[in-house]
Amino acid sequence: MSEGVALDAVIQTPKIKKGQKIPMVILCHGLTASKEHLIIEGLANRLEKIGIASLRFDFNGHGKSGGDFSAMTVGKELIDAQNVFDYVKSLSYVDETKIAMAGHSQGGVVTSMFAGTHGNEIRAIVLFAPAAVLHDYALQGNWAGLATFDPENLPEKFGLGRFQLGREYLKEAQSLDIYKTASGYAGKVCLLQGKSDEAVPFSYALRFNETWLNNSDVHLLQGETHDFTEHLEKALDIATAFFAENVK
C-alpha cells in the first residue's frame, strides 16, 4: 500500500535456504509503462539466475496498480518507492545491507533521486535512459515533439496518446532539481543509454555521469532506442554483471 493505493508487484527470488539473507533489487519502470516492460522483467529474470532477488511493481496510476494516472507526479512515485523500500526491508530473507535499485526512463529519475536522499541504504543503482529531460520538456512546453502546451499557462490535462498527464505533474516537473538531488548518492552507478534514443538525448546520461564522477560508468549503445529494442541482451548483460559485482 502507498498512501491508500494498492501497488501491484511481482517478487522473484532464487532458491533460499532457511535463515539465508539475500540481496534485493527494486525495479522501477518508466512513464506510461509497467513492471512487464521488457527491460524490467528481463532484468528480474537475469537477477534470479545469479542469486539476487527482485521486486518489480507498477507505480500509482500505471499497470495493475490503483490510482489515477492523471494525478500521478514524480513526487508521488518517490513516495511509492519509499513504501516499496520499507516493504522490502521488512522481508525476513532480505539482506538490508544489499538493497539496490534500477530504473528505466522516468523510473531512472525516481531511482536517482531516491538514492540521492537515502545515502548508503541503497547499495548500487542502474539507470536505463534516465529521463531528466522531463524537466526541460515541462519548461519548454514541448514533449519530445509528440505534443505541445503553454508552459506559462499549464493545461488541466495534457495528452500523451491515450494517457493524460495532469497539471500538477507538469508544474512539479518544471521545478524538479533532479541532478542536485541525485548528487547526494555516493554509491556505485551504472548508466546505460542509446545513442539513437528518440525520447531522451544521450547528453542527459553524460550529465548524470558527471554528477557522480568516479562512482559512475556510462555505456552508450550505438543505434539503440529509448526502449532498448535493438541491443536488449547487451544492455541486460551489462546491468546483470554490474549487480553481480556490486551487490551480490
Side-chain angles (χ1 to χ4, degrees), residues 8-39:
D8 196 75
V10 173
I11 294 177
Q12 288 181 231
T13 69
K15 289 184 178 180
I16 304 172
K17 298 177 183 178
K18 186 176 181 180
Q20 183 183 9
K21 299 281 189 177
I22 62 173
M24 168 74 84
V25 179
I26 298 169
L27 304 175
C28 303
H29 66 76
L31 183 66
T32 76
S34 76
K35 63 183 178 301
E36 274 76 45
H37 191 283
L38 71 170
I39 294 172

Side-chain angles (χ1 to χ4, degrees), residues 192-214:
L192 294 111
Q193 178 83 45
K195 294 193 76 172
S196 296
D197 191 320
E198 69 285 3
V200 180
F202 67 83
S203 59
Y204 287 86
L206 295 178
R207 185 172 173 186
F208 266 116
N209 193 48
E210 292 171 0
T211 297
W212 291 303
L213 296 174
N214 296 329

Side-chain angles (χ1 to χ4, degrees), residues 35 57 59 84 122-123 158 162 167 173 188 224 238:
K35 63 183 178 301
F57 68 102
F59 281 109
V84 169
I122 304 298
R123 184 71 170 260
F158 170 64
R162 64 185 180 89
R167 177 183 291 149
K188 292 293 185 179
E224 188 55 273
I238 293 170

Side-chain angles (χ1 to χ4, degrees), residues 13-198:
T13 69
K15 289 184 178 180
I16 304 172
K17 298 177 183 178
K18 186 176 181 180
Q20 183 183 9
K21 299 281 189 177
I22 62 173
M24 168 74 84
V25 179
I26 298 169
L27 304 175
C28 303
H29 66 76
L31 183 66
T32 76
S34 76
K35 63 183 178 301
E36 274 76 45
H37 191 283
L38 71 170
I39 294 172
I40 302 300
E41 187 170 2
L43 184 54
N45 292 336
R46 292 289 192 95
L47 292 173
E48 181 181 349
K49 291 178 181 178
I50 64 167
I52 298 177
S54 67
L55 186 153
R56 52 190 167 98
F57 68 102
D58 294 330
F59 281 109
N60 71 90
H62 289 78
K64 296 178 181 178
S65 288
D68 177 5
F69 180 86
S70 66
M72 173 273 308
T73 65
V74 171
K76 288 183 179 180
E77 292 200 344
L78 283 165
I79 293 172
D80 290 345
Q82 181 65 60
N83 283 299
V84 169
F85 178 71
D86 291 343
Y87 175 76
V88 163
K89 286 199 301 181
S90 75
L91 297 173
S92 61
Y93 55 84
V94 171
D95 184 340
E96 288 190 31
T97 69
K98 294 182 178 181
I99 298 175
M101 294 181 71
H104 172 237
S105 195
Q106 182 166 291
V109 170
V110 171
T111 295
S112 71
M113 295 179 73
F114 188 86
T117 59
H118 284 71
N120 59 9
E121 289 185 285
I122 304 298
R123 184 71 170 260
I125 61 174
V126 171
L127 307 181
F128 296 89
V133 69
L134 65 86
H135 169 69
D136 294 333
Y137 285 164
L139 287 174
Q140 296 164 4
N142 188 325
W143 203 273
L146 299 175
T148 60
F149 56 90
D150 182 354
E152 296 182 1
N153 184 26
L154 296 174
E156 186 67 30
K157 290 188 178 182
F158 170 64
L160 287 177
R162 64 185 180 89
F163 296 93
Q164 296 282 316
L165 292 173
R167 177 183 291 149
E168 286 305 307
Y169 176 93
L170 296 172
K171 182 179 179 181
E172 181 194 79
Q174 289 181 338
S175 62
L176 282 177
D177 199 338
I178 297 168
Y179 295 108
K180 183 178 180 180
T181 304
S183 69
Y185 184 59
K188 292 293 185 179
V189 181
C190 175
L191 288 153
L192 294 111
Q193 178 83 45
K195 294 193 76 172
S196 296
D197 191 320
E198 69 285 3

